[in-house]
Amino acid sequence: MTATTLPAPTAPGRPGPDGAAGRPAGRTAGRTAWGGTTVLLLGAAYCLLPVVWVVIASTKSAGELFSTFTLAPSTHLWDNITALSDYRGGLFWRWMLNTALYAGVGGVLSVLVSAMAGYGLAKYSFRGKTATFNVILAGVLMPAVVLAIPQYLLLAKVGMTNTYWAVLLPSIISPYGIYLSRIYAAAAVPDDVIEAARTDGAGEGRIFFRLAVPMMMPGLVTVFLFQFVAIWNNFMLPYIMLGNDKLFPLTVGLSGLLNQGATQPAMYTSVITGALLSIIPLVALFLTLQRFWQVDLAAGAVKA
């Protein structure tokens, strides 16, 4: 019989015969996992603490807001919502509807324009394609606040300031949305599928809406969410464009209430309650549309 020689045991922390460390891999992996989890928990606490403060502060009365412990809740949430709803005949809910209109319609139109532009840049060859894409990239780096005054001057020339169009039209074009759509179209829409559809006699419009758009849907949902949140939180553009408070979005309307709070302390509770109500649609939207990301991740795992 031939004797089998076993390798000598390796002390923890010392390299083995093959040069690998003798330290158990599970200990290092566990330490890395705990470190990453700790960082994520700290980041989550940093992001969620202001939200928790808003939720708690909205339950307090005007007197309790400045006299009680910061994280001690109270029982005046419904009273604050009622007072906010009664302000000038329910003007707050008019602001909420205006914001939903600006963000919803602007987000959908922006997705349509971004999808068409991104698909064209990804799947067509034409003169000036590279230069066009570089201009779009430059637009991504341009802060929106820099464009607010030129946009106001342009719309003032055609008499569209102080109207819904003054906020909707500048929101349709999103350089970042076009960039994301171009990247996603290049990766998600195979050229073979497009050529097969053309061979079968399908027109370019039908190929785009029946084939490309469903394949690009997870990326387009991302574009919609980014643009929706950007319009929902936009302050500078409507602040410059609008003068009628019945056209204000939430950001401008609540800012006006905050300025009034300098002489009327009770308005601070209304502003905080309005801020709480304003984030509920965003949370609901993310929870509703997150399944598109999950489907895309699962499909990518299957393809890999």
Side-chain angles (χ1 to χ4, degrees), residues 123-194:
K123 297 302 177 180
Y124 291 99
S125 298
F126 53 89
R127 182 178 300 177
K129 174 180 175 179
T130 302
T132 302
F133 187 64
N134 290 336
V135 171
I136 293 174
L137 288 179
V140 174
L141 303 176
M142 184 69 66
V145 66
V146 176
L147 302 177
I149 298 300
Q151 289 170 346
Y152 171 80
L153 295 176
L154 289 174
L155 292 176
K157 288 289 185 180
V158 295
M160 285 189 176
T161 55
N162 204 27
T163 64
Y164 287 108
W165 292 108
V167 180
L168 282 175
L169 288 179
S171 303
I172 294 177
I173 304 298
S174 171
Y176 189 60
I178 296 174
Y179 169 75
L180 287 181
S181 298
R182 190 259 185 188
I183 298 299
Y184 203 87
V189 183
D191 294 334
D192 296 341
V193 174
I194 298 176

Side-chain angles (χ1 to χ4, degrees), residues 78-290:
W78 184 251
D79 296 335
N80 294 335
I81 294 177
T82 302
L84 181 62
S85 300
D86 293 340
Y87 175 74
R88 293 184 57 184
L91 185 60
F92 170 80
W93 298 109
R94 178 68 178 266
W95 295 340
M96 180 75 79
L97 291 177
N98 291 340
T99 308
L101 174 66
Y102 295 140
V105 176
V108 171
L109 294 178
S110 179
V111 166
L112 179 61
V113 173
S114 299
M116 297 176 68
Y119 175 80
L121 290 170
K123 297 302 177 180
Y124 291 99
S125 298
F126 53 89
R127 182 178 300 177
K129 174 180 175 179
T130 302
T132 302
F133 187 64
N134 290 336
V135 171
I136 293 174
L137 288 179
V140 174
L141 303 176
M142 184 69 66
V145 66
V146 176
L147 302 177
I149 298 300
Q151 289 170 346
Y152 171 80
L153 295 176
L154 289 174
L155 292 176
K157 288 289 185 180
V158 295
M160 285 189 176
T161 55
N162 204 27
T163 64
Y164 287 108
W165 292 108
V167 180
L168 282 175
L169 288 179
S171 303
I172 294 177
I173 304 298
S174 171
Y176 189 60
I178 296 174
Y179 169 75
L180 287 181
S181 298
R182 190 259 185 188
I183 298 299
Y184 203 87
V189 183
D191 294 334
D192 296 341
V193 174
I194 298 176
E195 293 300 329
R198 289 171 179 168
T199 303
D200 292 339
E204 297 298 328
R206 186 175 183 182
I207 293 173
F208 173 73
F209 286 105
R210 299 295 296 273
L211 294 178
V213 169
M215 293 179 180
M216 297 170 59
M217 188 56 66
L220 298 183
V221 170
T222 303
V223 173
F224 175 76
L225 285 176
F226 282 163
Q227 191 67 1
F228 187 94
V229 174
I231 299 174
W232 189 279
N233 295 328
N234 193 5
F235 173 80
M236 183 59 66
L237 180 66
Y239 181 77
I240 293 176
M241 293 289 185
L242 304 176
N244 185 358
D245 58 0
K246 293 184 178 181
L247 302 179
F248 285 172
L250 285 170
T251 51
V252 180
L254 292 178
S255 175
L257 262 65
L258 184 62
N259 293 331
Q260 294 180 13
T263 56
Q264 302 177 16
M267 298 305 292
Y268 284 112
T269 58
S270 297
V271 172
I272 295 173
T273 305
L276 173 64
L277 296 177
S278 68
I279 65 176
I280 294 177
L282 297 179
V283 175
L285 184 67
F286 272 93
L287 294 178
T288 302
L289 298 181
Q290 68 176 352

Side-chain angles (χ1 to χ4, degrees), residues 13-61:
R14 295 183 180 180
D18 56 351
R23 181 178 300 171
R27 185 183 303 174
T28 304
R31 185 177 302 172
T32 304
W34 275 109
T37 302
T38 302
V39 173
L40 290 176
L41 289 176
L42 290 175
Y46 177 80
C47 296
L48 293 178
L49 185 59
V51 179
V52 173
W53 181 88
V54 169
V55 173
I56 295 176
S58 63
T59 65
K60 299 182 179 183
S61 64

